[in-house]
Amino acid sequence: MDTNETQDAARLREAMGHAVGDLEAAPELLPAALVLGPRRRARARALRAGGAVAATAAAVVAVALVTGAGPRPADGGGGTDVAAGPPTVAAPTGAPSPSDTPSETVPPDASADAAQPRFPVVPGITETPEDAAVTAAERARVDDYRQGVARALEITLRGKAGAIRIVSQPVELYQGVTEDGRTFDLVVSVRPLTGGADAAGDPGVCRADETADVCRETLLPDGTSAAVHGLTADALRTHGASVSFRVGDSAVLLAAPPDAASSTVSPVGTEDLLHLAEDPRATELFHQADAQPVQDPA
């Protein structure tokens, strides 16, 4: 600052001193300032905080308008539900989706087979005492096998034989009861061959003395030869239909004999028995009975 400016400032201070020199001081100004100062500072802070809240609320409203998460109009048109969740955020690239996460495999219910209805067991024509040497576990195994055979009969014969039931003895005998009350025998025999694998003869081959109208040979899906009997009406009335073949070291015989009392032909024919012979359920049972016999050797 130069000399002239210094002199001007001094003269200005002197002039202002003369101007206010005769005025009395206001002693209340300082106490008032001490009271009003903090109040004004508090009011200023409150105004700043209110402005921040208002700005936050405005941001929330703006997001709601963009995402459509606002309240549903009273007339039900447009908008979304008030309870709608927050906007969906896209997963980052490479993040596993819920479908990529391996889910726990629920094991099949082991009691599913046990829950299936069981077929009734009826007495046979002749009953022999149970062998005391046969264990309870063996009886249960044979019973489960026979229940499986009855179920295969019901499924593959498609109700043709009526309601299926198990004859207690012999083990290869079953029955079908038609809606009109007639009862027809059904034979499912898996009997071990004497000599096993070296047994002579093949039950799936017609005998040399059998003519074409008595027996015909056919191939099952696995290539096994099967001999079919009951090709004529007379044969069906006399002996009924039958299909025989070999499984492992056992001879399988599926038969539907006529009603002996009335000579009524069974509703189950040769094609029905072939259907049973080709059924995977029945085939599994035949192999099971070959590995663990339920009948005495032939």
Side-chain angles (χ1 to χ4, degrees):
M1 183 179 294
D2 58 19
T3 304
N4 292 334
E5 289 178 352
T6 302
Q7 292 176 352
D8 290 340
R11 285 194 296 271
L12 178 60
R13 285 194 299 273
E14 183 180 359
M16 291 180 63
H18 288 298
V20 300
D22 296 334
L23 297 177
E24 295 181 359
E28 70 279 3
L29 292 178
L30 179 58
L34 293 174
V35 173
L36 293 177
R39 292 180 180 176
R40 289 175 179 173
R41 287 194 297 273
R43 187 181 301 112
R45 286 196 297 269
L47 290 175
R48 287 196 297 271
V53 172
T56 303
V60 172
V61 172
V63 171
L65 291 175
V66 171
T67 60
R72 185 181 297 277
D75 59 358
T80 57
D81 196 350
V82 175
T88 302
V89 179
T93 304
S97 64
S99 59
D100 296 332
T101 303
S103 59
E104 181 181 357
T105 302
V106 179
D109 186 1
S111 63
D113 292 337
Q116 295 187 18
R118 295 181 65 83
F119 294 87
V121 179
V122 298
I125 298 176
T126 59
E127 293 287 325
T128 59
E130 291 186 350
D131 188 349
V134 178
T135 64
E138 176 65 10
R139 290 195 192 93
R141 182 186 73 84
V142 175
D143 180 62
D144 288 343
Y145 164 79
R146 301 196 72 197
Q147 287 287 333
V149 171
R151 187 168 294 110
L153 287 169
E154 181 181 62
I155 294 173
T156 57
L157 298 182
R158 301 177 295 277
K160 224 173 181 184
I164 303 298
R165 58 191 190 183
I166 301 170
V167 180
S168 61
Q169 294 179 4
V171 71
E172 69 269 20
L173 189 58
Y174 303 80
Q175 288 180 342
V177 182
T178 61
E179 292 183 355
D180 58 5
R182 293 184 300 168
T183 300
F184 294 92
D185 289 339
L186 296 166
V187 176
V188 179
S189 172
V190 184
R191 187 179 297 276
L193 291 167
T194 303
D198 298 327
D202 185 346
V205 177
C206 296
R207 297 195 311 269
D209 59 346
E210 290 179 320
T211 60
D213 60 343
V214 174
C215 177
R216 70 178 174 90
E217 296 176 9
T218 188
L219 292 179
L220 300 178
D222 63 355
T224 300
S225 177
V228 182
H229 293 82
L231 305 178
T232 64
D234 288 341
L236 290 174
R237 281 193 298 270
T238 305
H239 303 289
S242 68
V243 174
S244 57
F245 51 96
R246 181 169 180 163
V247 170
D249 297 335
S250 303
V252 179
L253 172 65
L254 311 177
D259 178 49
S262 63
S263 296
T264 303
V265 175
S266 172
V268 177
T270 55
E271 293 303 317
D272 301 311
L273 296 178
L274 282 172
H275 187 205
L276 176 63
E278 297 169 355
D279 183 73
R281 304 176 195 84
T283 301
E284 182 178 353
L285 291 166
F286 302 154
H287 285 278
Q288 177 182 327
D290 174 59
Q292 294 180 296
V294 297
Q295 295 176 243
D296 295 329

